Amino acid sequence: MQKAVVLGGSYAGLFAARVLSDHADEVVVIEADGQVDGSAGHGAPQRQQLHALLGMGHTQLEVQFPGITRELVDAGALLGSGSAVRFYVDGEQKADVPGDQNQMIGATRPFIERHVRRRVLEIPNVRIQAGRAQDLIIRGSRVVGVHYSAGKATDGTSGPGSELEADLVVDAMGRSSRLGAWLQNHGWDAAPTERMRIDLGYATATFTRGRELPDTVIAHATPGPASGYQPTLCEPGAIAAVEGNRWAVVVSGYAGHRPGRDPDQFRDRMLRCVAPLQEIAQSCEMEGEVLPYSFRESQRREFSRLTRFPGGLVAVGDSVSSVNPIYGQGLTLAALQAASLSAHLRSGVSVHTPAWDYFRRIAGIVDAAWSLSTSADLAQPHVSGPYPRGYRFTRWAADKITQASVVDPIVNTVFMNVLHMRAHPKSLTRPRVLLRTARVLATR
Ligand SMILES: Cc1cc2nc3c(=O)[nH]c(=O)nc-3n(C[C@H](O)[C@H](O)[C@H](O)COP(=O)(O)OP(=O)(O)OC[C@H]3O[C@@H](n4cnc5c(N)ncnc54)[C@H](O)[C@@H]3O)c2cc1C
């Protein structure tokens, strides 16, 4: 390939650029929102919310950017494993997971992304350019470039329009990507989109970190089967010790129970959560404001279900799928899709033909993440579907396995491998896991 163009320079776009730098003479990332100098813009407002990087996401980060964990830790991030990373269900602390299998980084998303961006900018054949992509250029059966408006004036208006030719265009424009509309304008079909309305509310606040909880990096609490997945026994929430001696704290709720901006209400929720959140609420000072965020629905665009698609075009990250953030899958999905793109390109196919092989690869990954998050969301009374086939059995089995994982390290290890996206959710229904679950629950 001579040139690859990535539309969107956030997490997925940066990973795609990293992978493409191995296959193209030149990689240009077009980013609409002031990312060129590394400053955080408004293009992905969810950046300010607490982001957890799952185990597989961390592995992929280190695969694409060797040594980055060390850099992050040297710059102030924390690395936790064993009892420094604790998960709670219905207020009860889950069984320990051995060794590093539970290892997680305590850092904010802008901090991790800044380091990733710096590493990408160090790659000689990659450049990031300010601009807003406006349309595809399609000739015959393939995408050959993009129209974009260069730069962005301080009054928000766009600069003059330009064109960029490319062998491969990558849509990394996030969940509001206009790719489908652009394709339709050119006489192609948009990918069918599956949605699940969940009406989730999120709020993040930052607290000073002193001597409290010296052995904690991450704590994460969710309602579970004992409360019918309602916040009656314990409010959902999470904390992460992050760079700059701070705690990032998130609380969440569905439908009528969504958190707002009020700092007192935020603290009240923390006090109704598990011990680590209570301790921070009682002994730490809130820095700045509570930042709420509304997440109406999970969605996935199923490119592999199309029968026609132009060559020279792929999509990554939230433009493909954007699922309930409580399960922290987005960054890991973006990284796994970049890995799939790498495998696809290494297979030697021409990028000028439709990337069916790539879309099939990512369909399996997205499907696993989607089934995990939506099967839990369907336990909420206000979520009305769509229900997948076999949902009642899956729900029943998931409840039992969750209960067993609270007390049993073996079941919890399998469970956490799925949660960290190191294993497919199907591994939870292996006979030996189900047998162990039955035994654990019978003796409890
Ligand atoms: C509240 C909340 C909490 C979350 N928590 C977690 C978590 O704990 N862990 C986790 O892994 N994930 C989490 N996520 C998901 C995560 O934020 C996303 O999966 C991730 O941001 C996807 O990255 P992306 O690059 O695909 O899209 P985005 O980060 O949304 O970036 C899209 C980029 O495209 C640019 N862009 C848009 N249009 C154009 C255009 N026309 N031209 C050029 N550029 C354009 C935008 O400026 C932006 O920079 C959370 C999401 C939310 C909403």
Side-chain angles (χ1 to χ4, degrees), residues 7-13 30-33 35 43-44 46-47 49-53 109 131-133 172-175 182 202 293 295 316-319 325 328-332 334:
L7 311 179
S10 181
Y11 204 78
I30 299 182
E31 168 52 51
D33 197 31
Q35 297 291 318
Q46 77 274 20
R47 268 194 195 103
Q49 300 296 323
L50 171 61
H51 272 59
L53 189 60
R109 152 113 188 240
R132 177 169 291 277
M173 291 181 286
R175 65 180 269 138
W182 294 350
Y202 235 64
Y293 192 97
F295 188 92
V316 292
D318 274 19
S319 84
Q329 296 168 320
L331 302 178
T332 301

Side-chain angles (χ1 to χ4, degrees), residues 84-112:
V85 176
R86 300 199 286 285
F87 285 78
Y88 299 78
V89 171
D90 284 325
E92 211 176 325
Q93 189 177 331
K94 293 188 79 180
D96 284 345
V97 171
D100 283 350
Q101 292 194 50
N102 214 15
Q103 189 183 68
M104 292 184 81
I105 299 182
T108 63
R109 152 113 188 240
F111 179 84
I112 297 176

Side-chain angles (χ1 to χ4, degrees), residues 262-283:
D262 183 11
D264 294 333
Q265 277 173 16
F266 192 94
R267 273 186 199 272
D268 283 347
R269 282 185 187 239
M270 290 173 73
L271 292 169
R272 294 197 301 271
C273 192
V274 291
L277 278 90
Q278 292 171 9
E279 187 163 347
I280 293 172
Q282 279 157 353
S283 52

